[in-house]
Amino acid sequence: MTTQPDHGHELIPRPEPTPDAVRVALARIAPHRLGEMEQQKEQALAAALQDGKIGHLQHWLVYWRARVEIERRPDLRSRHQAALASLHSTDSRSDPEFRAAMAELRAVEDEAQQAVSG
């Protein structure tokens, strides 16, 4: 586990950027998502084998590092959940609340991506 800037209370430290460390972290904070993680890993591995590019696996790891970042930080998790709730309460994509919720989801995703990439 690595150290990181303080964002308030964090459920667990940020894991090292390895598949095993990310899997262990996810098992601690969102075990219900392990099946999804494994399924996407298999898809990334199949795509990498098919076209000979490791980028599929790199993208998979970055994606799941960001998911762990959102789950381990209550500030990001609550923003993410609120945006999803707002999104699901809208009637159409033309609803201004839909656009605002999507913008907030993107902001949370971007913040999580930057945190694990920096």
Side-chain angles (χ1 to χ4, degrees):
M1 303 283 176
T2 61
T3 60
Q4 63 280 334
D6 184 30
H7 298 286
H9 177 72
E10 295 170 343
L11 300 177
I12 62 170
R14 182 176 296 135
E16 295 293 329
T18 66
D20 286 340
V22 172
R23 185 177 302 106
V24 168
L26 189 66
R28 289 182 61 197
I29 57 175
H32 62 281
R33 297 203 64 191
L34 286 170
E36 179 186 0
M37 180 187 191
E38 186 65 24
Q39 180 182 21
Q40 288 182 7
K41 180 187 80 174
E42 293 301 320
Q43 292 169 344
L45 182 58
L49 289 171
Q50 182 176 4
D51 67 14
K53 295 181 182 176
I54 196 167
H56 298 286
L57 293 168
Q58 292 167 327
H59 175 75
W60 169 82
L61 183 58
V62 168
Y63 175 86
W64 282 100
R65 288 183 68 210
R67 300 288 72 73
V68 166
E69 187 70 12
I70 291 168
E71 292 290 336
R72 76 179 197 86
R73 286 183 40 197
D75 63 317
L76 287 181
R77 185 174 183 207
S78 65
R79 287 174 54 203
H80 189 260
Q81 289 174 335
L84 283 175
S86 181
L87 184 68
H88 292 302
S89 71
T90 61
D91 293 328
S92 72
R93 290 178 181 221
S94 61
D95 186 331
E97 288 187 32
F98 177 89
R99 289 190 209 117
M102 288 301 294
E104 177 64 359
L105 282 174
R106 279 191 294 276
V108 169
E109 294 282 332
D110 289 348
E111 187 172 337
Q113 286 280 42
Q114 288 176 352
V116 299
S117 297

